[in-house]
Amino acid sequence: MARSASALVAGFLLVLALLTLDLAQGQQPFPPTDPSDADALHAVFRQWRLEGEAAAEDPCMKRVWSGSFEINASIDCNCPAFSWAFNRCRITGLNVTGYRNITEIPLALFNLTELVSLDLSNNNLNGLIPPEVGNLSKLETWHFNNNNLSGSFPRESSLLRNLKSLWIFDNNVEGLIPEFIQNLTSLTDLRIYGTKLQGPIPKKFSNLTNLEVLMLGDLGGNHSYFDVIGEWANLSTLSLRKCGLTGQLPNTPPNLPKLTYLDLTSNNLSGSLRLLLPYKNSSFIYIGENSFSERLPPEIVQQNVSLDVSYNRFVNGSLPTVVAGQKWPINYIGTSVDASGTVNSEILTILNCLRMKGCNGSSVTTGADHATFAINCGGKQIDYSDQMPTVFSEDLTDLGGAGFYVNTTSHWVTSHVGSDPFNKSAGIVNIDNILDSDMPELYKTARTSTSSLRYYVVGLANGRYTVKLFFAEIVITDGPGRRLFDIDIQNQNIRKDFDITKEAGGSRKGTNITQEVSVNNSILEIHLYWSGRGTCCIPYKGAYGPLVSAIKVARSQDPTISPPRAPSSDSARQDEKRRGIVAGIAALCIAAAVISSSVVYLWWKWVSLVKRPMA
């Protein structure tokens, strides 16, 4: 035993001596990077032109090449505690984001087989997802959102059984939603939207019992049904916007006790809203643009719940009474909900116009003095004197996560729906200075939304109008962030993936869109909305979706319709001749009728005289 104790002491002294030697030589108390990992990382960074003078450095010694939030190039390593000759650090995390010049995925990357986390989001990667991704079987986090990757998922992706977080959004990947995802039972965070993927959602998604965040959207293809939702005890965010969901909600909806955010917008769900009462304690409930019906349950209308039921035309009932000076955080435009107890008669008249998709002549008319109409979105009233003096009306009402505002003077409405699940979204934004604009004050403020923003002008005379939309990117002013959204006017798309910065030639610069439209039901509708494209979180979470600085609408003359020409002197004489001929024919016809009547009358009298003596 004495010999064993002596050996133990000798071993301890040797460890202490080696550690002391390392420290005396000024070395870190951990070993160098594994040669295979170092070679792979150097090859990847050389292709991406990220190394520069650091090419000779040990990766796990350096770790960070660029460490800002917007642009990041860094690694994580798993290293033994002490620098033993036979121990090596292994690269377990690779984070390269925000480099718009990075367009390819080097195959050497897939030699980093100890990776647990891989974040390649917000670059400019294009082409197919390499099948070699199956080599990274230890991955728990795989984010490649906000790129230009295309094609379908390689079947080797199904080998990534340890995934916990998978972000795919804002890419051009296509095909059906991969079936293998339903087998990734460790997933806690899944986000797939803004792609070309097709439904249906695999039925066994309900097996993903560890989900905390599920965000699917913008799916084409076949219908899906609500039974893909399971009994997910930890789920807090459920967004199934525009997923082709159809049919009624189940009579016993899934139990989601931690749900705080529910978005079922733009589907074809039907049935009673009472089936949503189990989720009434969520902070956000968005179910607009569906086919729900029956009475709006008063229990679901609460001051601390942003609620959207808009464009469910068969939803009826009435709003609960509200304390004076307050209003419910609800958007019910396009429904049959009776709001007479919560708004005045002027507002009610305008809302009824929107519900009926038209106004009769006596209810709401803007009149000739409203031939030009303008709004300073998100800002105070501004007067501009140009060729036609214009007053841009104030638009400063905070609409929260869901709501609308009615201007009863000029008869316009702004309607908003949307909030980021992870950060309170600002509906009105502003900046101190604007570049290169002759109307700078107009571009310093804007109204924005993470989902849907509508403006209506109600009671217009039918005819042609010129719509001018004003934009300036005043939020994403630096870095690699991109705002993309769609624009419809009168239910016709005029811009897809509209990029303000690209259109204006930079941020904080004004740009305009001008569009000629027709009004034939007294209502003009401008709709700006998000389709899952663009970055989500630069410079902060929720910096995405439509943004508009101002709107101007003016009555226009259709250039394709010309006034009738004045008749020439020759044609006038011919017209007079024709009118004379017609008048002569008419006179002859009248004379003939009079003569015929006289003959008939005389014949009748003669017959009467002849018959009288015979009687």
Side-chain angles (χ1 to χ4, degrees), residues 142-174:
W142 182 18
H143 295 174
F144 60 99
N145 49 286
N146 302 115
N147 282 285
N148 290 309
L149 293 168
S150 57
S152 58
F153 275 84
R155 59 187 176 185
E156 289 81 1
S157 304
S158 62
L159 300 175
L160 308 180
R161 294 296 187 92
N162 294 307
L163 277 179
K164 294 181 179 180
S165 181
L166 177 58
W167 293 8
I168 307 175
F169 55 89
D170 189 22
N171 273 285
N172 295 316
V173 289
E174 56 191 6

mmCIF file of all heavy atoms in Angstrom, residues 142-174:
data_model
loop_
_atom_site.group_PDB
_atom_site.id
_atom_site.type_symbol
_atom_site.label_atom_id
_atom_site.label_comp_id
_atom_site.label_asym_id
_atom_site.label_seq_id
_atom_site.Cartn_x
_atom_site.Cartn_y
_atom_site.Cartn_z
ATOM 1 N N TRP A 142 -29.410 24.245 -35.752
ATOM 2 C CA TRP A 142 -29.091 24.427 -37.170
ATOM 3 C C TRP A 142 -29.944 25.586 -37.686
ATOM 4 O O TRP A 142 -31.137 25.454 -37.903
ATOM 5 C CB TRP A 142 -29.388 23.148 -37.953
ATOM 6 C CG TRP A 142 -29.039 23.216 -39.417
ATOM 7 C CD1 TRP A 142 -28.203 24.108 -40.014
ATOM 8 C CD2 TRP A 142 -29.525 22.368 -40.446
ATOM 9 N NE1 TRP A 142 -28.131 23.861 -41.368
ATOM 10 C CE2 TRP A 142 -28.929 22.790 -41.662
ATOM 11 C CE3 TRP A 142 -30.395 21.285 -40.478
ATOM 12 C CZ2 TRP A 142 -29.192 22.177 -42.875
ATOM 13 C CZ3 TRP A 142 -30.642 20.663 -41.697
ATOM 14 C CH2 TRP A 142 -30.041 21.110 -42.874
ATOM 15 N N HIS A 143 -29.300 26.751 -37.850
ATOM 16 C CA HIS A 143 -29.977 27.947 -38.346
ATOM 17 C C HIS A 143 -29.369 28.349 -39.678
ATOM 18 O O HIS A 143 -28.176 28.668 -39.745
ATOM 19 C CB HIS A 143 -29.832 29.104 -37.355
ATOM 20 C CG HIS A 143 -30.510 28.881 -36.041
ATOM 21 N ND1 HIS A 143 -30.401 29.755 -34.982
ATOM 22 C CD2 HIS A 143 -31.331 27.884 -35.618
ATOM 23 C CE1 HIS A 143 -31.112 29.299 -33.953
ATOM 24 N NE2 HIS A 143 -31.676 28.162 -34.316
ATOM 25 N N PHE A 144 -30.168 28.324 -40.741
ATOM 26 C CA PHE A 144 -29.694 28.825 -42.033
ATOM 27 C C PHE A 144 -30.745 29.717 -42.676
ATOM 28 O O PHE A 144 -30.869 29.807 -43.882
ATOM 29 C CB PHE A 144 -29.281 27.679 -42.959
ATOM 30 C CG PHE A 144 -30.359 26.691 -43.287
ATOM 31 C CD1 PHE A 144 -31.059 26.781 -44.480
ATOM 32 C CD2 PHE A 144 -30.664 25.658 -42.421
ATOM 33 C CE1 PHE A 144 -32.048 25.873 -44.793
ATOM 34 C CE2 PHE A 144 -31.640 24.742 -42.734
ATOM 35 C CZ PHE A 144 -32.344 24.849 -43.924
ATOM 36 N N ASN A 145 -31.491 30.409 -41.831
ATOM 37 C CA ASN A 145 -32.517 31.345 -42.282
ATOM 38 C C ASN A 145 -31.901 32.551 -42.986
ATOM 39 O O ASN A 145 -30.705 32.830 -42.850
ATOM 40 C CB ASN A 145 -33.351 31.809 -41.092
ATOM 41 C CG ASN A 145 -32.499 32.271 -39.924
ATOM 42 O OD1 ASN A 145 -31.903 31.447 -39.225
ATOM 43 N ND2 ASN A 145 -32.427 33.584 -39.705
ATOM 44 N N ASN A 146 -32.734 33.265 -43.766
ATOM 45 C CA ASN A 146 -32.330 34.500 -44.456
ATOM 46 C C ASN A 146 -31.141 34.277 -45.390
ATOM 47 O O ASN A 146 -30.112 34.936 -45.307
ATOM 48 C CB ASN A 146 -32.011 35.604 -43.448
ATOM 49 C CG ASN A 146 -33.177 35.911 -42.525
ATOM 50 O OD1 ASN A 146 -33.094 35.685 -41.328
ATOM 51 N ND2 ASN A 146 -34.267 36.399 -43.081
ATOM 52 N N ASN A 147 -31.293 33.305 -46.286
ATOM 53 C CA ASN A 147 -30.341 33.054 -47.353
ATOM 54 C C ASN A 147 -31.117 32.869 -48.650
ATOM 55 O O ASN A 147 -32.309 33.195 -48.724
ATOM 56 C CB ASN A 147 -29.477 31.828 -47.037
ATOM 57 C CG ASN A 147 -28.373 32.129 -46.040
ATOM 58 O OD1 ASN A 147 -27.375 32.761 -46.368
ATOM 59 N ND2 ASN A 147 -28.541 31.673 -44.798
ATOM 60 N N ASN A 148 -30.455 32.338 -49.666
ATOM 61 C CA ASN A 148 -31.111 32.072 -50.954
ATOM 62 C C ASN A 148 -30.971 30.611 -51.358
ATOM 63 O O ASN A 148 -30.880 30.290 -52.549
ATOM 64 C CB ASN A 148 -30.517 32.971 -52.050
ATOM 65 C CG ASN A 148 -30.899 34.430 -51.867
ATOM 66 O OD1 ASN A 148 -32.072 34.748 -51.704
ATOM 67 N ND2 ASN A 148 -29.917 35.308 -51.865
ATOM 68 N N LEU A 149 -30.947 29.728 -50.371
ATOM 69 C CA LEU A 149 -30.828 28.304 -50.660
ATOM 70 C C LEU A 149 -32.068 27.819 -51.391
ATOM 71 O O LEU A 149 -33.187 28.276 -51.125
ATOM 72 C CB LEU A 149 -30.615 27.528 -49.368
ATOM 73 C CG LEU A 149 -29.271 27.809 -48.672
ATOM 74 C CD1 LEU A 149 -29.262 27.231 -47.273
ATOM 75 C CD2 LEU A 149 -28.109 27.258 -49.487
ATOM 76 N N SER A 150 -31.876 26.874 -52.301
ATOM 77 C CA SER A 150 -32.979 26.404 -53.137
ATOM 78 C C SER A 150 -33.000 24.879 -53.159
ATOM 79 O O SER A 150 -32.197 24.208 -52.485
ATOM 80 C CB SER A 150 -32.837 26.962 -54.553
ATOM 81 O OG SER A 150 -31.589 26.596 -55.110
ATOM 82 N N GLY A 151 -33.908 24.336 -53.961
ATOM 83 C CA GLY A 151 -34.038 22.891 -54.057
ATOM 84 C C GLY A 151 -34.721 22.305 -52.838
ATOM 85 O O GLY A 151 -35.226 23.015 -51.970
ATOM 86 N N SER A 152 -34.727 20.991 -52.775
ATOM 87 C CA SER A 152 -35.393 20.298 -51.667
ATOM 88 C C SER A 152 -34.372 19.856 -50.628
ATOM 89 O O SER A 152 -33.160 19.881 -50.864
ATOM 90 C CB SER A 152 -36.155 19.080 -52.194
ATOM 91 O OG SER A 152 -35.271 18.201 -52.871
ATOM 92 N N PHE A 153 -34.861 19.454 -49.474
ATOM 93 C CA PHE A 153 -33.988 18.944 -48.427
ATOM 94 C C PHE A 153 -33.390 17.612 -48.851
ATOM 95 O O PHE A 153 -34.104 16.734 -49.335
ATOM 96 C CB PHE A 153 -34.771 18.743 -47.128
ATOM 97 C CG PHE A 153 -34.891 19.972 -46.304
ATOM 98 C CD1 PHE A 153 -35.887 20.895 -46.560
ATOM 99 C CD2 PHE A 153 -34.009 20.211 -45.273
ATOM 100 C CE1 PHE A 153 -35.998 22.037 -45.792
ATOM 101 C CE2 PHE A 153 -34.119 21.350 -44.499
ATOM 102 C CZ PHE A 153 -35.117 22.267 -44.763
ATOM 103 N N PRO A 154 -32.070 17.424 -48.653
ATOM 104 C CA PRO A 154 -31.509 16.090 -48.918
ATOM 105 C C PRO A 154 -32.004 15.098 -47.877
ATOM 106 O O PRO A 154 -32.234 15.463 -46.717
ATOM 107 C CB PRO A 154 -30.004 16.325 -48.804
ATOM 108 C CG PRO A 154 -29.864 17.514 -47.907
ATOM 109 C CD PRO A 154 -31.061 18.378 -48.185
ATOM 110 N N ARG A 155 -32.177 13.871 -48.291
ATOM 111 C CA ARG A 155 -32.698 12.867 -47.353
ATOM 112 C C ARG A 155 -31.736 12.618 -46.203
ATOM 113 O O ARG A 155 -32.137 12.137 -45.136
ATOM 114 C CB ARG A 155 -33.006 11.578 -48.095
ATOM 115 C CG ARG A 155 -31.820 10.947 -48.802
ATOM 116 C CD ARG A 155 -32.265 9.783 -49.649
ATOM 117 N NE ARG A 155 -31.150 9.219 -50.412
ATOM 118 C CZ ARG A 155 -31.295 8.244 -51.306
ATOM 119 N NH1 ARG A 155 -32.503 7.762 -51.555
ATOM 120 N NH2 ARG A 155 -30.246 7.768 -51.950
ATOM 121 N N GLU A 156 -30.438 12.962 -46.411
ATOM 122 C CA GLU A 156 -29.463 12.794 -45.337
ATOM 123 C C GLU A 156 -29.759 13.694 -44.139
ATOM 124 O O GLU A 156 -29.235 13.458 -43.041
ATOM 125 C CB GLU A 156 -28.062 13.084 -45.864
ATOM 126 C CG GLU A 156 -27.500 12.045 -46.825
ATOM 127 C CD GLU A 156 -28.010 12.203 -48.249
ATOM 128 O OE1 GLU A 156 -28.806 13.145 -48.488
ATOM 129 O OE2 GLU A 156 -27.623 11.411 -49.111
ATOM 130 N N SER A 157 -30.607 14.714 -44.336
ATOM 131 C CA SER A 157 -30.979 15.583 -43.218
ATOM 132 C C SER A 157 -31.673 14.803 -42.118
ATOM 133 O O SER A 157 -31.673 15.226 -40.953
ATOM 134 C CB SER A 157 -31.890 16.706 -43.712
ATOM 135 O OG SER A 157 -31.296 17.446 -44.744
ATOM 136 N N SER A 158 -32.271 13.681 -42.475
ATOM 137 C CA SER A 158 -32.997 12.888 -41.479
ATOM 138 C C SER A 158 -32.063 12.284 -40.435
ATOM 139 O O SER A 158 -32.535 11.770 -39.411
ATOM 140 C CB SER A 158 -33.783 11.772 -42.175
ATOM 141 O OG SER A 158 -32.908 10.896 -42.854
ATOM 142 N N LEU A 159 -30.735 12.328 -40.675
ATOM 143 C CA LEU A 159 -29.769 11.778 -39.721
ATOM 144 C C LEU A 159 -29.531 12.717 -38.547
ATOM 145 O O LEU A 159 -28.868 12.338 -37.576
ATOM 146 C CB LEU A 159 -28.448 11.488 -40.424
ATOM 147 C CG LEU A 159 -28.515 10.482 -41.585
ATOM 148 C CD1 LEU A 159 -27.161 10.379 -42.278
ATOM 149 C CD2 LEU A 159 -28.964 9.117 -41.080
ATOM 150 N N LEU A 160 -30.066 13.916 -38.630
ATOM 151 C CA LEU A 160 -29.821 14.917 -37.576
ATOM 152 C C LEU A 160 -30.831 14.734 -36.448
ATOM 153 O O LEU A 160 -31.640 15.613 -36.145
ATOM 154 C CB LEU A 160 -29.886 16.323 -38.164
ATOM 155 C CG LEU A 160 -29.003 16.569 -39.393
ATOM 156 C CD1 LEU A 160 -29.143 18.007 -39.885
ATOM 157 C CD2 LEU A 160 -27.544 16.251 -39.096
ATOM 158 N N ARG A 161 -30.802 13.609 -35.810
ATOM 159 C CA ARG A 161 -31.822 13.239 -34.825
ATOM 160 C C ARG A 161 -31.720 13.997 -33.512
ATOM 161 O O ARG A 161 -32.629 13.921 -32.692
ATOM 162 C CB ARG A 161 -31.735 11.733 -34.534
ATOM 163 C CG ARG A 161 -32.097 10.838 -35.714
ATOM 164 C CD ARG A 161 -33.557 11.036 -36.109
ATOM 165 N NE ARG A 161 -34.008 10.098 -37.109
ATOM 166 C CZ ARG A 161 -34.577 8.929 -36.861
ATOM 167 N NH1 ARG A 161 -34.751 8.548 -35.607
ATOM 168 N NH2 ARG A 161 -34.962 8.147 -37.836
ATOM 169 N N ASN A 162 -30.609 14.711 -33.298
ATOM 170 C CA ASN A 162 -30.441 15.425 -32.029
ATOM 171 C C ASN A 162 -30.860 16.881 -32.102
ATOM 172 O O ASN A 162 -30.699 17.623 -31.129
ATOM 173 C CB ASN A 162 -28.977 15.347 -31.583
ATOM 174 C CG ASN A 162 -28.553 13.932 -31.236
ATOM 175 O OD1 ASN A 162 -29.207 13.269 -30.432
ATOM 176 N ND2 ASN A 162 -27.476 13.465 -31.861
ATOM 177 N N LEU A 163 -31.414 17.317 -33.238
ATOM 178 C CA LEU A 163 -31.761 18.728 -33.409
ATOM 179 C C LEU A 163 -32.777 19.190 -32.362
ATOM 180 O O LEU A 163 -33.783 18.524 -32.120
ATOM 181 C CB LEU A 163 -32.325 18.978 -34.802
ATOM 182 C CG LEU A 163 -31.316 19.186 -35.931
ATOM 183 C CD1 LEU A 163 -32.046 19.386 -37.255
ATOM 184 C CD2 LEU A 163 -30.417 20.386 -35.651
ATOM 185 N N LYS A 164 -32.495 20.367 -31.807
ATOM 186 C CA LYS A 164 -33.425 21.011 -30.887
ATOM 187 C C LYS A 164 -33.972 22.317 -31.461
ATOM 188 O O LYS A 164 -35.087 22.713 -31.122
ATOM 189 C CB LYS A 164 -32.733 21.286 -29.547
ATOM 190 C CG LYS A 164 -32.336 20.024 -28.782
ATOM 191 C CD LYS A 164 -31.687 20.378 -27.455
ATOM 192 C CE LYS A 164 -31.309 19.111 -26.681
ATOM 193 N NZ LYS A 164 -30.661 19.428 -25.375
ATOM 194 N N SER A 165 -33.173 22.983 -32.306
ATOM 195 C CA SER A 165 -33.596 24.252 -32.891
ATOM 196 C C SER A 165 -33.290 24.241 -34.381
ATOM 197 O O SER A 165 -32.126 24.078 -34.779
ATOM 198 C CB SER A 165 -32.875 25.422 -32.207
ATOM 199 O OG SER A 165 -33.289 26.665 -32.738
ATOM 200 N N LEU A 166 -34.335 24.409 -35.215
ATOM 201 C CA LEU A 166 -34.196 24.386 -36.672
ATOM 202 C C LEU A 166 -34.908 25.604 -37.251
ATOM 203 O O LEU A 166 -36.125 25.729 -37.143
ATOM 204 C CB LEU A 166 -34.796 23.094 -37.239
ATOM 205 C CG LEU A 166 -34.799 22.941 -38.763
ATOM 206 C CD1 LEU A 166 -33.397 23.024 -39.332
ATOM 207 C CD2 LEU A 166 -35.471 21.629 -39.163
ATOM 208 N N TRP A 167 -34.135 26.521 -37.848
ATOM 209 C CA TRP A 167 -34.677 27.726 -38.473
ATOM 210 C C TRP A 167 -34.396 27.669 -39.973
ATOM 211 O O TRP A 167 -33.236 27.606 -40.394
ATOM 212 C CB TRP A 167 -34.038 28.988 -37.896
ATOM 213 C CG TRP A 167 -34.364 29.257 -36.458
ATOM 214 C CD1 TRP A 167 -35.025 28.446 -35.587
ATOM 215 C CD2 TRP A 167 -34.025 30.442 -35.724
ATOM 216 N NE1 TRP A 167 -35.132 29.039 -34.355
ATOM 217 C CE2 TRP A 167 -34.528 30.264 -34.406
ATOM 218 C CE3 TRP A 167 -33.362 31.607 -36.041
ATOM 219 C CZ2 TRP A 167 -34.365 31.226 -33.415
ATOM 220 C CZ3 TRP A 167 -33.203 32.579 -35.055
ATOM 221 C CH2 TRP A 167 -33.702 32.391 -33.758
ATOM 222 N N ILE A 168 -35.460 27.737 -40.788
ATOM 223 C CA ILE A 168 -35.336 27.613 -42.239
ATOM 224 C C ILE A 168 -35.843 28.858 -42.952
ATOM 225 O O ILE A 168 -35.646 29.024 -44.140
ATOM 226 C CB ILE A 168 -36.121 26.367 -42.735
ATOM 227 C CG1 ILE A 168 -35.697 25.123 -41.951
ATOM 228 C CG2 ILE A 168 -35.920 26.120 -44.211
ATOM 229 C CD1 ILE A 168 -36.518 23.885 -42.305
ATOM 230 N N PHE A 169 -36.480 29.774 -42.264
ATOM 231 C CA PHE A 169 -37.286 30.808 -42.910
ATOM 232 C C PHE A 169 -36.488 31.712 -43.851
ATOM 233 O O PHE A 169 -35.279 31.865 -43.727
ATOM 234 C CB PHE A 169 -38.028 31.640 -41.857
ATOM 235 C CG PHE A 169 -37.170 32.269 -40.800
ATOM 236 C CD1 PHE A 169 -36.627 33.528 -40.976
ATOM 237 C CD2 PHE A 169 -36.944 31.630 -39.585
ATOM 238 C CE1 PHE A 169 -35.865 34.131 -40.000
ATOM 239 C CE2 PHE A 169 -36.170 32.219 -38.597
ATOM 240 C CZ PHE A 169 -35.630 33.472 -38.803
ATOM 241 N N ASP A 170 -37.230 32.324 -44.799
ATOM 242 C CA ASP A 170 -36.682 33.246 -45.802
ATOM 243 C C ASP A 170 -35.588 32.578 -46.634
ATOM 244 O O ASP A 170 -34.430 32.995 -46.650
ATOM 245 C CB ASP A 170 -36.156 34.529 -45.141
ATOM 246 C CG ASP A 170 -35.782 35.588 -46.188
ATOM 247 O OD1 ASP A 170 -36.287 35.504 -47.313
ATOM 248 O OD2 ASP A 170 -34.987 36.483 -45.863
ATOM 249 N N ASN A 171 -35.973 31.514 -47.328
ATOM 250 C CA ASN A 171 -35.135 30.840 -48.307
ATOM 251 C C ASN A 171 -36.018 30.442 -49.479
ATOM 252 O O ASN A 171 -37.243 30.647 -49.449
ATOM 253 C CB ASN A 171 -34.462 29.601 -47.709
ATOM 254 C CG ASN A 171 -33.153 29.918 -47.010
ATOM 255 O OD1 ASN A 171 -32.137 30.166 -47.639
ATOM 256 N ND2 ASN A 171 -33.185 29.912 -45.675
ATOM 257 N N ASN A 172 -35.410 29.848 -50.497
ATOM 258 C CA ASN A 172 -36.165 29.397 -51.661
ATOM 259 C C ASN A 172 -36.246 27.878 -51.741
ATOM 260 O O ASN A 172 -36.466 27.321 -52.819
ATOM 261 C CB ASN A 172 -35.532 29.951 -52.940
ATOM 262 C CG ASN A 172 -35.625 31.462 -53.009
ATOM 263 O OD1 ASN A 172 -36.661 32.052 -52.711
ATOM 264 N ND2 ASN A 172 -34.531 32.114 -53.372
ATOM 265 N N VAL A 173 -36.043 27.202 -50.604
ATOM 266 C CA VAL A 173 -36.175 25.749 -50.596
ATOM 267 C C VAL A 173 -37.601 25.376 -50.987
ATOM 268 O O VAL A 173 -38.556 26.111 -50.678
ATOM 269 C CB VAL A 173 -35.811 25.162 -49.221
ATOM 270 C CG1 VAL A 173 -34.326 25.270 -48.973
ATOM 271 C CG2 VAL A 173 -36.584 25.841 -48.103
ATOM 272 N N GLU A 174 -37.754 24.247 -51.658
ATOM 273 C CA GLU A 174 -39.051 23.883 -52.204
ATOM 274 C C GLU A 174 -39.341 22.410 -51.981
ATOM 275 O O GLU A 174 -38.546 21.688 -51.386
ATOM 276 C CB GLU A 174 -39.098 24.227 -53.698
ATOM 277 C CG GLU A 174 -37.992 23.593 -54.498
ATOM 278 C CD GLU A 174 -37.908 24.155 -55.906
ATOM 279 O OE1 GLU A 174 -38.647 25.104 -56.196
ATOM 280 O OE2 GLU A 174 -37.100 23.640 -56.692
#
